[in-house]
Amino acid sequence: MLQEESDLSLIIAQIVQKLKGSNLYAQLERQAWASLQRPEIKLESLKEDIKEFFKISGWEKKLQNAVYSELSVFPLPSHPAAPPEHLKEPLVYMRKAQGSWEKRILKSLNSMCTELSIPLARKRPVGEQKELLNKWNEMGTDEPDLSLFRPVYAPKDFLEVLINLRNPNYENGDSLSFRTHLGLIQVPLKVKDIPELKEFFVELGLTSGQLGIDDSTQVPPELFENEHVRIGQKVLTEQDSAAAQQYVRQGSPTALRAELWALILNISSHPEDILYYEQLKTNVIQHDLLVDSLIYKDVKLTASNDDYYFVFEDYLYQVLLCFSRDTSVLSHFAYNSASPPKSYIRGKLGLEEYAVFYPPNGVIPFHGFSMYVAPLCFLYHEPSKLYQIFREMYVRFFFRLHSISSHPSGIVSLCLLFETLLQTYLPQLFYHLREIGAQPLRISFKWMVRAFSGYLATDQLLLLWDRILGYNSLEILAVLAAAVFAFRAVNLMEVTSLAAAEAVLADLSTLKVMPLLQIFLFATVT
Amino acid sequence: QSTQGRGVPPYCQQRASIRFKTTLMNTLMDVLRHRPGWVEVKDEGEWDFYWCDVSWLRENFDHTYMGEHVRISHFRNHYELTRKNYMVKNLKRFRKQMEREAGKLEAAKCDFFPKTFEMPCEYHLFVEEFRKNPGITWIMKPVARSQGKGIFLFRRLKDIMDWKKGTAGKKLTSLEAQPARNTVNPSGSHDTRSSDDQKDEIPVENYVAQRYIENPYLIGGRKFDLRVYVLVMSYIPLRAWLYRDGFARFSNTRFTLNSIDDQYVHLTNVAVQKTSPDYHPKKGCKWMLQRFRQYLASKHGPEAVETLFSDMDNIFIRSLQSVQKVIISDKHCFELYGYDILIDQDLKPWLLEVNASPSLTASSQEDYELKTCLLEDTLHVVDMEARLTGREKRVGGFDLMWNDGPVSREEGGPDPSGMGNFVTNTHLGISSNKKKKPCQLHR
């Protein structure tokens, strides 16, 4: 008990520390001062009266949401004496692996830079700045020569690194036993099994209504949909983050989704936020970064070729170019196992005073990165709001999909969860695929790294991301991947090569996500 | 003289095989060839079903005898609806009639086409309107061409001077010299033969000048229009079906009023977009209607979307009603129309035009599937195999929209008082779930 209490007070202290520097704190202070004018605030009971005032005016709710937001992102409690690296990643071998992966990426970036003799960053001449400002809303019409640029890495390169991850302290011996893991990932992390997943995802069970199942045209809306929409509207009126998060576990109605996600992520568009975005835009106009070309290339290769997202091409540039200049993103590296790459001013290599993070936000985009943004364009049309939502989604969830860590929502755990589920509950299929040289993870990896963006139909993808937000976890991606394999198991048992297996699983656009998840978790005999 | 389907006893409803003919070599051919019991006839063979093109119709319909069961894919004078100038004339006449019979409010429901003037005969009326609204943009469209050919935008009368100098203009000058000649019959229909005669004198093309919609609804900064499919089985009585699927066609470039010369910005036909330098075939530039409907719902809420779609139902029904009395309603004829609808920023739908021969060539895999299902369901409704009972409200992806009167979504007959919660039996942009219920009966 004592340990828990001191953990709790540690967390409280840290959250208070964080919030003290935030805009919300300044606003609360102002509100408190202004409230002194009010007749119901009496000197004798100043503290209680102000608290009461905050409660009635909705400011307490805002504070609650902010605290809840911090708790959602906050790393698990650790020993007060633990060094900061442990907050990023407690396991040494994981940290080392991430470190050497980063070195490789940076080397690749630097060599591209030298090969093409393009500086990592340069200031744009005034004429170019003017031109870019004019074209800001239609950057997609630009057709710069991108043929010499290659993406820094693709998901399959990252997969190879994960496959080679080993815990030096773990020896499983050469003899095969029923406990041997037959998949590609060979690190001993704890992942949930189906009974634990059933408990974790209890709201997805067969006895609860779901959007994605109980709102289909065959089901009369009185049974579930109408009531669910009504509750959603109530949640929005109350402006309660925690309630919203609980609510979207059963799916979010299309008309309410944009507001609900903003509430869960605690995003509100204050003038300061819009100003901040405008400032980032100015940075983009003034300086050209090498990563900009990588972003362009990625958008052209992925989103622009997508049947549905091509329409939003311009928004993608507006978001991603600003994102790479946003230094506030650097704060997420406190709990990300990755570290931002450092670059040195020319001639001052090694001198810390001349070190800068490159790109300014510390995130080097890879092939497919723009697909994290594309589905959000469906919901948010105002660039600064779209930007804020994407940034928050990135620092809460997406970063875990491309850094090596032991976190249960990290990509390593997701891969292991996927393989374990398949091996445990579909052993015949798993064994067959392995025998023909089609390790299932080789096919499903790209789905999980992209959080299924670009693979599922948009409405299905949004229903899936509802649950990611609702459960504050990415584990559902691994469960869905396994469920897809289970669904197509009959066809997969008949294939005899990796290429044929890929073909069976090439098109996921007709899949309905929620029935698949329900069947896999709750309706399969285990 | 040629006869089709003769020598078959009239009571023999179920046919052993159905002989079809078509000249189109695209999705339609695939669908027809795969239909069980249907065989292709070529050249001069006798046929039971002909998906013809409009030129054949013009030349042969009048001298072809068709047996009772024979079906052909166009109405003789479909151009009353599908030629831009005739459609406008018919709509204007219908609107006037509405105003006389039912008052201004009812007539206002016909205000779904932008102000249009036939050229060259209404040139003077056009100039009057033009002068009343200085600075707005107009669009000039040839009446009978398709795929965006010959269309241009203008803001100044000077801009159409060049056009005037061309063949159409020559006719204008000659018309200006003569008293106005009426090619309209008392019934209101247009006689193609007399205008053909006129054509012999001075080969000319008719145009319409239409007020350009300057505030189109944009998605991703791009303009788009909607292609919706309506199947008419007869005009008297009016029986029309609405297909649930369709698509939104995007222009490849961002919308701006600054560059009215850039037809790639303004014209959304896939045929035009295909020639744009920005065009990448893999991109396609179409969204299925379902996706479009979901996008709008997430942005404006379900009620606004319901209103928009019921306004579109209004367009389909009233446009068909406006030509109901002039189109020769031959029981052998049916027609699949492609309606082009433009949405403006106030979520008001506008009718751009109606196509009698909507493109059946597929531009992508998804498009191929859409058109295949569309054509299969069309053939189900035409029902050469005599399998339907005649009481269906839904066949495949088609919903019965008008059956000599409105068709209600709810069970039971329509609400005669005209008030209350009458909801039309249309589900545009809502998925079909075809496998589950191909036909739905109504009592």
Side-chain angles (χ1 to χ4, degrees):
Chain A
M1 270 311 280
L2 261 173
Q3 183 58 32
E4 278 177 37
E5 275 176 26
S6 63
D7 279 344
L8 194 58
S9 40
L10 185 67
I11 294 174
I12 293 176
Q14 280 172 318
I15 292 183
V16 168
Q17 188 66 22
K18 267 216 77 200
L19 288 179
K20 262 198 173 148
S22 76
N23 194 30
L24 181 64
Y25 186 81
Q27 284 177 318
L28 284 171
E29 247 191 336
R30 269 203 301 275
Q31 285 294 320
W33 278 110
S35 75
L36 294 176
Q37 310 288 336
R38 303 174 77 86
E40 60 266 21
I41 311 287
K42 305 215 178 353
L43 195 56
E44 315 78 77
S45 48
L46 192 64
K47 200 169 174 185
E48 283 68 37
D49 288 345
I50 293 187
K51 270 199 212 166
E52 189 60 34
F53 167 68
F54 276 165
K55 211 177 255 176
I56 300 173
S57 56
W59 282 99
E60 192 199 36
K61 204 28 100 47
K62 292 205 176 87
L63 179 60
Q64 236 176 10
N65 290 345
V67 171
Y68 193 74
S69 180
E70 290 299 323
L71 279 175
S72 303
V73 189
F74 216 74
L76 312 159
S78 55
H79 197 274
E85 303 96 73
H86 283 214
L87 219 63
K88 290 160 73 75
E89 171 52 51
L91 299 179
V92 173
Y93 74 91
M94 291 264 181
R95 287 207 300 265
K96 281 209 174 115
Q98 174 65 22
S100 47
W101 169 240
E102 277 167 17
K103 278 207 190 77
R104 264 179 67 182
I105 301 176
L106 203 57
K107 205 161 153 211
S108 172
L109 188 64
N110 279 330
S111 64
M112 197 192 318
C113 193
T114 355
E115 252 178 59
L116 305 173
S117 357
I118 298 177
L120 287 176
R122 78 182 164 93
K123 192 166 169 84
R124 282 188 225 269
V126 176
E128 199 185 314
Q129 286 188 29
K130 265 211 187 97
E131 209 191 306
L132 186 56
L133 190 59
N134 283 337
K135 272 209 321 259
W136 182 254
N137 287 323
E138 35 177 59
M139 282 186 279
T141 50
D142 227 358
E143 296 275 342
D145 181 15
L146 300 169
S147 49
L148 297 170
F149 290 97
R150 323 171 286 278
V152 179
Y153 66 96
K156 61 180 182 340
D157 305 317
F158 188 51
L159 178 59
E160 291 304 319
V161 175
L162 299 186
I163 291 173
N164 292 318
L165 263 184
R166 292 290 182 277
N167 179 352
N169 295 332
Y170 182 71
E171 179 58 59
N172 29 355
D174 288 328
S175 55
L176 291 173
S177 76
F178 72 88
R179 249 181 267 160
T180 311
H181 184 75
L182 296 173
L184 294 172
I185 304 292
Q186 293 293 331
V187 286
L189 295 174
K190 177 142 189 4
V191 291
K192 297 184 169 85
D193 57 12
I194 286 196
E196 286 167 328
L197 289 169
K198 269 167 134 155
E199 223 183 282
F200 185 66
F201 291 117
V202 65
E203 291 86 353
L204 300 184
L206 298 169
T207 50
S208 318
Q210 297 295 330
L211 287 184
I213 298 176
D214 301 294
D215 55 335
S216 75
T217 44
Q218 320 294 342
V219 180
E222 303 83 58
L223 282 182
F224 170 71
E225 203 183 343
N226 288 349
E227 183 61 17
H228 192 63
V229 173
R230 205 185 57 79
I231 297 177
Q233 282 157 344
K234 196 148 185 271
V235 167
L236 283 173
T237 333
E238 294 292 311
Q239 284 291 297
D240 187 330
S241 275
Q245 190 167 326
Q246 179 67 29
Y247 173 77
V248 299
R249 290 182 181 186
Q250 289 171 279
S252 164
T254 321
L256 305 179
R257 185 175 275 125
E259 282 179 66
L260 282 168
W261 283 19
L263 182 55
I264 296 172
L265 298 168
N266 207 27
I267 305 282
S268 42
S269 292
H270 294 128
E272 303 87 59
D273 303 310
I274 301 178
L275 210 63
Y276 188 77
Y277 175 75
E278 290 296 317
Q279 208 166 5
L280 290 174
K281 180 177 161 184
T282 318
N283 288 352
V284 177
I285 306 277
Q286 286 178 348
H287 290 91
D288 179 27
L289 301 178
L290 176 65
V291 277
D292 290 352
S293 305
L294 297 175
I295 290 170
Y296 263 106
K297 180 119 193 178
D298 187 48
V299 173
K300 291 280 182 210
L301 283 178
T302 55
S304 300
N305 274 331
D306 185 286
D307 284 335
Y308 287 99
Y309 299 131
F310 72 89
V311 165
F312 302 121
E313 193 184 337
D314 298 323
Y315 293 139
L316 297 178
Y317 298 121
Q318 291 173 17
V319 167
L320 289 167
L321 293 178
C322 290
F323 182 65
S324 51
R325 286 153 178 80
D326 192 346
T327 48
S328 71
V329 174
L330 292 172
S331 58
H332 94 285
F333 286 107
Y335 51 86
N336 183 356
S337 63
S339 300
K342 265 199 262 205
S343 178
Y344 296 89
I345 306 288
R346 200 171 291 212
K348 311 275 188 199
L349 192 68
L351 297 174
E352 283 309 314
E353 311 92 74
Y354 295 95
V356 290
F357 292 122
Y358 186 85
N361 72 342
V363 179
I364 297 186
F366 56 89
H367 178 65
F369 193 84
S370 55
M371 293 307 280
Y372 289 141
V373 190
L376 301 173
C377 297
F378 234 72
L379 301 172
Y380 303 100
H381 312 100
E382 210 257 287
S384 69
K385 187 92 182 259
L386 174 63
Y387 177 75
Q388 282 184 279
I389 297 277
F390 166 66
R391 181 180 58 185
E392 191 61 27
M393 291 283 282
Y394 184 82
V395 301
R396 274 204 205 195
F397 302 111
F398 297 144
F399 77 90
R400 299 202 191 274
L401 297 171
H402 45 267
S403 49
I404 305 175
S405 86
S406 58
H407 194 273
S409 275
I411 189 71
V412 184
S413 303
L414 296 183
C415 290
L416 192 58
L417 175 59
F418 164 74
E419 289 189 319
T420 313
L421 284 174
L422 221 55
Q423 186 178 338
T424 316
Y425 300 103
L426 292 154
Q428 207 179 6
L429 175 65
F430 192 95
Y431 191 75
H432 168 72
L433 289 173
R434 195 170 162 268
E435 285 298 288
I436 61 169
Q439 276 275 6
L441 186 60
R442 288 205 187 274
I443 302 174
S444 64
F445 187 70
K446 54 187 183 290
W447 303 339
M448 293 191 283
V449 167
R450 281 213 206 155
F452 282 89
S453 173
Y455 296 106
L456 294 173
T458 315
D459 60 321
Q460 295 300 312
L461 184 78
L462 294 173
L463 287 168
L464 179 67
W465 286 16
D466 281 340
R467 274 73 180 189
I468 292 181
L469 283 161
Y471 290 97
N472 201 29
S473 150
L474 293 163
E475 284 158 302
I476 200 144
L477 297 176
V479 180
L480 180 62
V484 172
F485 272 75
F487 184 62
R488 300 230 168 128
V490 173
N491 290 357
L492 286 169
M493 284 305 288
E494 292 178 12
V495 300
T496 51
S497 69
L498 174 60
E502 299 253 20
V504 170
L505 295 165
D507 184 9
L508 307 184
S509 59
T510 51
L511 294 183
K512 300 268 179 269
V513 162
M514 297 319 299
L516 280 183
L517 286 169
Q518 262 197 352
I519 291 174
F520 188 75
L521 286 176
F522 297 98
T524 312
V525 176
T526 52
Chain B
Q1 278 266 345
S2 78
T3 62
Q4 295 304 329
R6 227 188 207 171
V8 176
Y11 55 77
C12 180
Q13 285 282 334
Q14 296 270 2
R15 308 196 63 73
S17 71
I18 293 162
R19 301 161 296 185
F20 73 85
K21 183 170 173 181
T22 183
T23 44
L24 297 173
M25 294 301 295
N26 48 26
T27 339
L28 178 65
M29 186 58 94
D30 290 347
V31 169
L32 288 168
R33 282 192 180 145
H34 284 103
R35 205 166 170 85
W38 286 51
V39 278
E40 191 178 356
V41 299
K42 298 206 171 104
D43 303 322
E44 297 309 316
E46 274 191 19
W47 42 266
D48 307 306
F49 180 93
Y50 189 5
W51 195 291
C52 61
D53 51 66
V54 293
S55 50
W56 181 93
L57 195 81
R58 198 170 45 234
E59 281 155 36
N60 297 291
F61 189 92
D62 296 331
H63 348 283
T64 308
Y65 171 76
M66 289 186 279
E68 171 109 16
H69 68 281
V70 171
R71 293 288 177 268
I72 191 164
S73 66
H74 285 290
F75 284 93
R76 174 65 183 92
N77 56 345
H78 59 82
Y79 44 79
E80 296 287 346
L81 184 62
T82 57
R83 264 176 75 115
K84 300 172 187 58
N85 53 343
Y86 295 165
M87 177 191 83
V88 165
K89 263 213 183 81
N90 286 313
L91 273 169
K92 281 183 182 171
R93 189 178 31 80
F94 182 68
R95 190 190 190 288
K96 279 209 188 79
Q97 184 189 340
M98 279 284 106
E99 200 166 14
R100 275 198 313 270
E101 292 176 8
K104 279 199 159 44
L105 267 175
E106 268 300 298
K109 289 190 188 159
C110 295
D111 290 336
F112 47 74
F113 62 99
K115 242 188 166 56
T116 310
F117 297 97
E118 217 181 310
M119 307 289 241
C121 44
E122 288 182 327
Y123 181 72
H124 302 289
L125 289 170
F126 161 71
V127 171
E128 213 185 296
E129 183 73 24
F130 183 91
R131 295 220 164 98
K132 270 197 256 173
N133 298 283
I136 66 169
T137 315
W138 292 81
I139 182 166
M140 191 76 90
K141 304 190 209 186
V143 297
R145 283 202 265 174
S146 63
Q147 305 191 326
K149 299 189 202 123
I151 297 185
F152 63 94
L153 299 173
F154 63 94
R155 277 199 197 114
R156 308 167 299 181
L157 282 175
K158 243 178 8 129
D159 296 332
I160 53 174
M161 283 311 152
D162 290 329
W163 167 82
K164 260 186 109 181
K165 290 200 193 101
T167 51
K170 288 206 184 85
K171 169 145 188 224
L172 173 64
T173 12
S174 83
L175 263 188
E176 280 171 336
Q178 292 171 20
R181 199 181 331 166
N182 211 349
T183 54
V184 180
N185 295 338
S187 70
S189 70
H190 296 84
D191 200 345
T192 35
R193 266 167 292 194
S194 56
S195 71
D196 278 344
D197 293 340
Q198 277 182 332
K199 263 188 179 170
D200 291 334
E201 298 170 353
I202 301 170
V204 95
E205 193 173 12
N206 280 350
Y207 278 71
V208 290
Q210 194 177 65
R211 194 162 166 169
Y212 184 64
I213 296 166
E214 288 174 332
N215 62 338
Y217 193 91
L218 302 176
I219 296 183
R222 288 171 220 239
K223 185 176 164 181
F224 64 93
D225 72 5
L226 302 179
R227 163 54 58 91
V228 183
Y229 297 101
V230 175
L231 174 63
V232 176
M233 292 305 295
S234 78
Y235 275 95
I236 299 175
L238 182 59
R239 272 182 74 106
W241 299 74
L242 181 66
Y243 199 66
R244 293 186 175 198
D245 284 328
F247 44 87
R249 297 174 297 199
F250 286 89
S251 106
N252 243 347
T253 45
R254 285 83 189 141
F255 181 78
T256 163
L257 285 173
N258 296 335
S259 54
I260 59 177
D261 294 322
D262 187 350
Q263 61 166 304
Y264 301 117
V265 173
H266 299 280
L267 303 179
T268 51
N269 304 65
V270 177
V272 170
Q273 293 302 324
K274 272 187 170 153
T275 61
S276 155
D278 276 339
Y279 184 76
H280 296 286
K282 259 175 95 177
K283 247 197 241 192
C285 25
K286 291 183 184 176
W287 267 16
M288 290 294 131
L289 268 187
Q290 271 182 56
R291 191 66 73 237
F292 170 71
R293 192 173 177 139
Q294 279 163 4
Y295 177 88
L296 279 190
S298 74
K299 201 170 171 194
H300 300 279
E303 293 85 25
V305 172
E306 269 294 329
T307 311
L308 169 66
F309 279 79
S310 74
D311 287 345
M312 294 207 291
D313 288 343
N314 176 61
I315 292 182
F316 306 136
I317 294 170
R318 279 175 201 265
S319 58
L320 292 174
Q321 284 176 328
S322 72
V323 295
Q324 195 177 4
K325 299 215 174 79
V326 298
I327 289 205
I328 304 160
S329 188
D330 188 326
K331 66 168 187 279
H332 301 102
C333 303
F334 70 91
E335 207 154 18
L336 180 67
Y337 295 111
Y339 271 73
D340 291 342
I341 307 275
L342 184 73
I343 317 274
D344 73 14
Q345 275 175 12
D346 303 318
L347 286 189
K348 179 185 158 75
W350 295 87
L351 176 62
L352 292 179
E353 68 167 335
V354 184
N355 291 283
S357 309
S359 160
L360 298 174
T361 323
S363 59
S364 70
Q365 182 60 29
E366 200 176 34
D367 200 38
Y368 182 80
E369 279 162 22
L370 171 88
K371 287 178 176 154
T372 307
C373 293
L374 171 70
L375 291 169
E376 279 174 358
D377 288 339
T378 305
L379 296 178
H380 290 330
V381 175
V382 171
D383 196 28
M384 299 291 295
E385 297 92 340
R387 291 184 295 208
L388 301 182
T389 65
R391 286 182 319 211
E392 287 84 2
K393 260 167 59 165
R394 178 186 168 185
V395 176
F398 275 108
D399 289 303
L400 183 60
M401 173 171 60
W402 192 268
N403 186 14
D404 200 20
V407 180
S408 163
R409 211 181 267 184
E410 308 302 322
E411 299 306 317
D415 190 349
S417 69
M419 313 221 307
N421 298 329
F422 179 82
V423 182
T424 344
N425 183 40
T426 53
H427 301 84
L428 194 56
I430 294 178
S431 75
S432 291
N433 285 337
K434 281 175 67 112
K435 303 282 190 315
K436 296 217 92 182
K437 272 191 187 183
C439 292
Q440 190 182 331
L441 299 175
H442 70 96
R443 288 172 208 98

